[in-house]
């Protein structure tokens, strides 16, 4: 009772302090709420990304058509726009076409091979002949579930600025590595002699 009487008698001094305390408490609650909402959104995004990711065993179980669609989804996940899947034979090596975040045109050849197989030079030659001339690729990407590219195929890819992603690099992409970080590795992890033109 004495406290109430004192507050009433000194209200002109009490109310500014009370307003400041309430404002500080409100601001702290708002910051805590925003932090919790941000953490929840980040957690949900991570869970969605995990749900989209497939293990390489699951990738191996995909049909070649499902594999092309999955590669397109990886592109979209990494910020590519206008991603289209050909989904048919006779596409002249352009299984997936889209645009990187910086506007460069991306043309992808997908080869769904057994894990022990290597991509031969003939496959790379066909893609080299169409990726830029037929499809106008700024970045040409050859992605395979096979374990490697033959020496001739990889040499041709490096000379012609074709990004060659073998099974191990595809596995990194599947597990969340961003496409932009994989482009310079170009099939063997040593990087290309020259980068695709911007």
């Amino acid at each position: 009772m004495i406290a109430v009487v004192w507050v009433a008698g000194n209200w002109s001094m009490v109310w500014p302090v009370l307003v400041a305390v309430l404002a500080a408490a409100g601001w702290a609650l708002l910051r805590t709420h925003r932090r919790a909402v941000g953490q929840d959104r980040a957690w949900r995004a991570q869970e969605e990304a995990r749900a989209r990711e497939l293990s390489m065993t699951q990738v191996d179980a995909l049909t070649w058509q499902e594999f092309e669609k999955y590669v397109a989804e990886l592109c979209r996940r990494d910020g590519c726009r206008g991603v289209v899947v050909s989904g048919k034979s006779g596409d002249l090596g352009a299984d997936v076409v889209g645009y990187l975040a910086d506007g460069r045109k991306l043309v992808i050849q997908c080869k769904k091979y057994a894990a022990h197989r290597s991509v031969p030079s003939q496959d790379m030659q066909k893609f080299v002949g169409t990726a830029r001339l037929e499809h106008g690729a700024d970045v040409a990407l050859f992605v395979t579930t096979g374990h490697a590219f033959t020496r001739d195929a990889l040499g041709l890819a490096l000379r012609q600025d074709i990004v060659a992603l073998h099974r191990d690099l595809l596995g990194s992409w599947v597990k969340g590595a961003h496409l932009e970080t994989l482009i310079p590795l170009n099939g063997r992890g040593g990087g290309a002699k020259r980068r695709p033109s911007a």
Side-chain angles (χ1 to χ4, degrees):
M1 187 71 171
I2 296 173
V4 172
V5 171
W6 183 87
V7 167
N10 295 297
W11 182 245
S12 62
M13 292 181 351
V14 171
W15 78 263
V17 173
L18 184 61
V19 168
V21 167
L22 290 175
W27 178 249
L29 284 173
L30 182 62
R31 277 186 21 212
T32 302
H33 172 72
R34 286 182 177 167
R35 188 177 315 121
V37 168
Q39 289 171 344
D40 181 63
R41 283 186 185 142
W43 175 82
R44 287 178 189 276
Q46 288 173 346
E47 289 302 307
E48 287 173 14
R50 281 193 193 105
R52 281 194 307 266
E53 288 177 4
L54 299 175
S55 71
M56 286 307 293
T57 303
Q58 291 170 306
V59 171
D60 289 336
L62 298 174
T63 66
W64 65 266
Q65 296 97 332
E66 292 168 336
F67 178 57
E68 290 177 2
K69 290 176 184 171
Y70 183 62
V71 168
E73 282 303 312
L74 291 174
C75 292
R76 290 185 190 105
R77 178 198 75 188
D78 290 347
C80 295
R81 297 173 286 107
V83 179
V84 177
V85 180
S86 163
K88 60 181 188 244
S89 59
D91 54 21
L92 298 176
D95 296 321
V96 178
V97 178
Y99 294 87
L100 295 170
D102 61 11
R104 290 179 293 168
K105 186 173 185 180
L106 175 67
V107 176
I108 304 175
Q109 168 74 69
C110 301
K111 283 294 182 188
K112 177 73 171 44
Y113 283 160
H116 66 276
R117 280 193 61 188
S118 295
V119 174
S121 178
Q122 299 91 308
D123 287 355
M124 188 62 72
Q125 289 172 30
K126 290 176 189 172
F127 188 52
V128 166
T130 61
R132 289 192 172 80
L133 294 175
E134 287 290 327
H135 303 294
D138 295 312
V139 177
L141 177 66
F142 196 120
V143 59
T144 183
T145 53
H147 81 96
F149 293 84
T150 65
R151 185 184 327 195
D152 290 342
L154 186 56
L156 181 59
L158 290 171
R159 289 191 304 277
Q160 298 298 322
D161 285 333
I162 304 293
V163 180
L165 290 187
H166 55 62
R167 184 177 187 82
D168 290 344
L169 294 176
L170 172 61
S172 295
W173 195 15
V174 166
K175 289 299 181 190
H178 197 281
L179 178 58
E180 292 280 354
T181 66
L182 296 172
I183 288 173
L185 300 180
N186 205 13
R188 63 180 181 189
K193 291 179 182 171
R194 53 195 171 99
R195 298 286 302 274
S197 59

